[in-house]
Amino acid sequence: MTLSEENYLKAIFNLQQETDKGVSTNAIAEFMDTKASSATDMIKRLSEKKLLIYKPYQGARLTDKGRMHAVKVIRKHRLWETFLVENLEFSWDEVHEVAEQLEHIDSDKLIKQLDKFLGYPKNDPHGDPIPDENGNIATIEKKILAELQKNDEGICVGVDDSSSAFLKYLDKLNISLGNNIKVIEKEAFDNSMSIEVDGNKLTISSLASKNIYIKKTK
Amino acid sequence: MTLSEENYLKAIFNLQQETDKGVSTNAIAEFMDTKASSATDMIKRLSEKKLLIYKPYQGARLTDKGRMHAVKVIRKHRLWETFLVENLEFSWDEVHEVAEQLEHIDSDKLIKQLDKFLGYPKNDPHGDPIPDENGNIATIEKKILAELQKNDEGICVGVDDSSSAFLKYLDKLNISLGNNIKVIEKEAFDNSMSIEVDGNKLTISSLASKNIYIKKTK
DNA sequence: ATTAATTTTTAGACAAATCTAAAAATTTGT
DNA sequence: ACAAATTTTTAGATTTGTCTAAAAATTAAT
């Protein structure tokens, strides 16, 4: 399996999460920041390798084999991100680029031992679940902060946007995973929110509140 | 810099250590387990990038730029090997293959932090020196065990052959880095040796004794 | 039910890295 | 010095992954 094939598998896996329809050639091309003709070529290759099933105008769907492979890459990515933050003093906005490289290292023993070394972590530094060895991905009942009502309360368990800009912004606001967040006020005018983060009051925009996941406690 | 280019650079660096002559196309091809025509192509590319200077029939020599890059790859390789043995329970005969992949990961911060995490190690699990950030490689006065005389004594500081087969053989004999080794007897007939390793007496073949490095103490 | 818009595929080219087979250049041996 | 042996290069093909531009297929709209 080449690096490029793995990246396409990952892309298709991610796009598939968002719908129950097949993933279109154009959608894949856009996600991969490439041209539709390139996507067509790769779809053909992955299809020949039985990693996905493709029907024109109905999109691509990963086979069990394809899904398993994609999840393994995601598992590696998230374990490496955890290592970088926990052991190499990376901050959560710096890990992605390096993990994109490390995720393609091929060694079962390596990933097994890394998992053990890290103490079998459940989530990566952005709160995303780390798939287990068998490809199972745990889900938790989380809500988008923007959907909470006044006086609702919960724990910050993840972010939807893992871009460096957004993560740095959260750092500045002192919002991080595990924080207790309470909705003080919702502003109907622009959908901004007054919230209390571990005791500190602050205001965040609608856009920001749509990218923060909360596990409700109240 | 592509993966393949880095591997050729490393090969040429290694071959250059063994002679003061330039490294021939054929020698490179043989080392890389490929054909001379492929080596010619790559030499041309590396030459265009000013990573080496090549004169037909006189061989290739790395420029400062080329040497620096090769050494950086070697630094990464040896740091990762150290990590695998020290933290992920790999044995010294298992690390090479994985390190061959990890050495190509491109991130200055990663390697700097890994070095710090490992406590700035001086040598990798095979006793080879880890180049510093500036590309300097420490040398120690070591001798091949086969060259020691009766009653000579020293510390095992490295191996010349890092093949899995040889390293496993050393494990079986309970020989590892740091052991004190004393020559009890040299057999003129087949050049085998009786030695004492941290108190235990054993006999090793001429071939084995040529692949063990000793830092003499007596 | 045709046209229009969109989606997808094909055709042909390119760069990287390799190969085989043959040709060219250089060195060595007598 | 000349043929023989060796080393190196060229020429042309192949695979992977990409591109542009154009053609074909399908879906949507009036």
Side-chain angles (χ1 to χ4, degrees):
Chain A
M1 174 102 359
T2 70
L3 197 137
S4 201
E5 285 171 346
E6 284 194 343
N7 285 333
Y8 271 92
L9 276 189
K10 223 180 23 153
I12 296 166
F13 178 85
N14 285 328
L15 291 166
Q16 212 168 235
Q17 301 301 96
E18 289 159 24
T19 51
D20 46 350
K21 286 182 237 155
V23 185
S24 74
T25 304
N26 269 347
I28 295 169
E30 194 189 358
F31 193 94
M32 291 296 293
D33 200 22
T34 183
K35 297 300 150 85
S37 54
S38 304
T40 297
D41 289 345
M42 186 54 86
I43 289 165
K44 200 186 268 174
R45 269 214 291 290
L46 296 175
S47 179
E48 276 161 11
K49 292 192 175 185
K50 313 265 185 208
L51 292 162
L52 56 77
I53 288 166
Y54 177 69
K55 290 188 187 123
Y57 300 93
Q58 276 159 250
R61 286 192 150 82
L62 296 184
T63 61
D64 284 352
K65 189 180 164 196
R67 184 186 161 282
M68 191 62 200
H69 199 100
V71 171
K72 273 191 177 172
V73 175
I74 291 166
R75 171 170 159 79
K76 287 190 279 183
H77 184 104
R78 293 180 181 168
L79 283 172
W80 280 117
E81 285 195 341
T82 305
F83 172 68
L84 294 175
V85 168
E86 297 284 308
N87 300 101
L88 299 194
E89 303 176 32
F90 277 63
S91 52
W92 66 347
D93 60 291
E94 295 176 312
V95 294
H96 187 73
E97 218 189 325
V98 184
E100 284 288 301
Q101 295 181 62
L102 287 162
E103 71 187 5
H104 300 293
I105 302 291
D106 177 32
S107 163
D108 286 344
K109 173 154 189 173
L110 174 62
I111 208 62
K112 195 169 179 169
Q113 289 298 127
L114 182 63
D115 193 22
K116 183 179 178 184
F117 173 80
L118 296 170
Y120 307 105
K122 294 269 198 308
N123 300 91
D124 78 10
H126 310 116
D128 296 315
I130 297 173
D132 71 16
E133 272 186 301
N134 305 310
N136 302 117
I137 305 177
T139 51
I140 57 167
E141 348 70 61
K142 62 191 177 192
K143 292 209 148 197
I144 291 172
L145 173 55
E147 286 174 358
L148 297 207
Q149 301 306 315
K150 188 173 174 175
N151 293 323
D152 282 353
E153 206 171 329
I155 308 289
C156 174
V157 293
V159 292
D160 189 50
D161 173 6
S162 284
S163 72
S164 178
F166 182 59
L167 296 174
K168 278 184 173 152
Y169 171 68
L170 291 183
D171 281 343
K172 204 149 66 181
L173 297 183
N174 257 303
I175 298 177
S176 55
L177 297 190
N179 281 156
N180 193 280
I181 294 181
K182 180 176 181 179
V183 179
I184 305 296
E185 196 75 65
K186 283 181 86 171
E187 190 57 62
F189 162 60
D190 61 358
N191 290 312
S192 66
M193 266 184 169
S194 278
I195 59 175
E196 206 178 278
V197 181
D198 279 0
N200 298 314
K201 281 188 189 120
L202 51 92
T203 306
I204 62 171
S205 70
S206 165
L207 183 58
S209 70
K210 282 177 188 157
N211 281 300
I212 296 172
Y213 289 127
I214 301 292
K215 184 176 179 181
K216 271 184 74 174
T217 50
K218 266 184 209 167
Chain B
M1 175 101 1
T2 72
L3 197 139
S4 200
E5 285 170 345
E6 285 194 341
N7 284 333
Y8 272 91
L9 275 190
K10 221 181 21 155
I12 296 165
F13 179 84
N14 285 328
L15 291 167
Q16 212 166 233
Q17 301 301 95
E18 289 160 24
T19 51
D20 46 350
K21 286 181 236 156
V23 185
S24 74
T25 305
N26 269 348
I28 295 169
E30 194 190 359
F31 192 93
M32 292 297 293
D33 201 21
T34 182
K35 296 299 149 88
S37 55
S38 304
T40 295
D41 289 347
M42 186 54 86
I43 288 166
K44 201 186 268 174
R45 270 213 294 287
L46 296 176
S47 178
E48 276 161 10
K49 293 191 176 184
K50 312 267 184 204
L51 293 162
L52 55 78
I53 288 167
Y54 176 68
K55 291 190 187 120
Y57 300 94
Q58 277 160 245
R61 286 190 150 81
L62 296 185
T63 60
D64 284 352
K65 189 179 164 196
R67 184 187 161 282
M68 192 62 202
H69 199 101
V71 171
K72 272 192 178 169
V73 175
I74 291 167
R75 172 171 158 80
K76 288 191 279 183
H77 183 103
R78 294 182 179 167
L79 283 172
W80 280 117
E81 285 196 342
T82 305
F83 172 68
L84 294 175
V85 168
E86 297 285 308
N87 300 101
L88 299 195
E89 301 176 33
F90 277 62
S91 52
W92 66 348
D93 59 289
E94 294 176 313
V95 294
H96 187 74
E97 218 189 326
V98 185
E100 283 288 300
Q101 295 181 64
L102 287 163
E103 71 186 8
H104 300 292
I105 302 291
D106 177 32
S107 164
D108 286 343
K109 174 156 187 172
L110 174 63
I111 209 63
K112 194 170 178 166
Q113 290 297 130
L114 182 63
D115 193 23
K116 183 179 180 185
F117 174 79
L118 296 171
Y120 308 105
K122 293 268 196 311
N123 300 91
D124 77 11
H126 309 116
D128 296 315
I130 297 173
D132 71 16
E133 272 188 300
N134 304 311
N136 301 116
I137 306 177
T139 51
I140 56 165
E141 347 70 59
K142 63 192 178 191
K143 292 208 149 199
I144 292 172
L145 173 55
E147 286 174 357
L148 297 205
Q149 301 306 315
K150 185 170 174 177
N151 292 323
D152 281 354
E153 205 170 328
I155 309 288
C156 175
V157 292
V159 291
D160 190 50
D161 172 5
S162 283
S163 74
S164 179
F166 182 58
L167 296 173
K168 278 184 173 151
Y169 171 68
L170 291 183
D171 281 343
K172 205 150 66 182
L173 297 183
N174 257 300
I175 298 177
S176 55
L177 296 190
N179 281 155
N180 192 278
I181 295 182
K182 180 176 180 180
V183 179
I184 305 296
E185 196 74 64
K186 283 182 86 171
E187 189 56 61
F189 163 62
D190 61 357
N191 291 311
S192 67
M193 268 184 169
S194 276
I195 59 174
E196 206 178 279
V197 180
D198 279 359
N200 297 315
K201 283 193 190 109
L202 51 92
T203 305
I204 63 171
S205 70
S206 164
L207 182 60
S209 70
K210 284 179 188 155
N211 281 301
I212 297 174
Y213 289 126
I214 301 293
K215 182 178 178 181
K216 270 185 75 176
T217 50
K218 266 182 206 169

